[in-house]
Amino acid sequence: MTFAPELLARANAFVRTCTQQNLTLALAESCTGGLLAGLITAVPGSSAVLRLGVVSYARDAKRQILKVPESALSHGEVSAQVAIAMAEGALSAGGADLAAGITGIAGPGGGSAAKPVG
């Protein structure tokens, strides 16, 4: 996988900072399909940082693997509530210090004014 140099520079800085501070990361991605995990793992030494990466594209995967509650999903799969619950699920499953949950509308279609593509 090829990443833009500025993204790789940011990933390198992130991995370096996490390594220096002895911090680990767990990721839960939906619309990005593992791109963030791919970017992090493109950095040498990232195995000391990345503990878990989950691509939970399907609603059932969010519920079953990441334990995203129905109360969060009731706001829609593309919502702040679901992103937070995905991060919390990854944090719990990965036993990491830091976590990120990414959800959105990948496009090119399917977006709306309230929830645009991207």
Side-chain angles (χ1 to χ4, degrees):
M1 202 175 303
T2 304
F3 294 101
E6 59 273 11
L7 289 177
L8 278 173
R10 288 181 183 194
N12 269 287
F14 178 80
V15 169
R16 184 174 49 254
T17 298
C18 287
T19 301
Q20 290 168 348
Q21 295 183 17
N22 199 30
L23 296 172
T24 56
L25 174 67
L27 298 171
E29 300 181 64
S30 184
C31 64
T32 50
L35 282 173
L36 183 54
L39 177 61
I40 296 295
T41 59
V43 176
S46 61
S47 61
V49 173
L50 186 62
R51 300 216 10 125
L52 173 79
V54 173
V55 176
S56 58
Y57 218 73
R59 185 181 186 100
D60 285 346
K62 289 176 179 67
R63 274 198 312 253
Q64 294 168 7
I65 296 168
L66 296 171
K67 310 299 184 208
V68 173
E70 197 58 45
S71 60
L73 289 164
S74 70
H75 294 276
E77 289 182 61
V78 178
S79 66
Q81 292 87 346
V82 168
I84 291 166
M86 287 171 63
E88 290 171 344
L91 193 65
S92 176
D97 302 301
L98 308 170
I102 301 170
T103 186
I105 299 174
S112 68
K115 295 182 181 179
V117 170

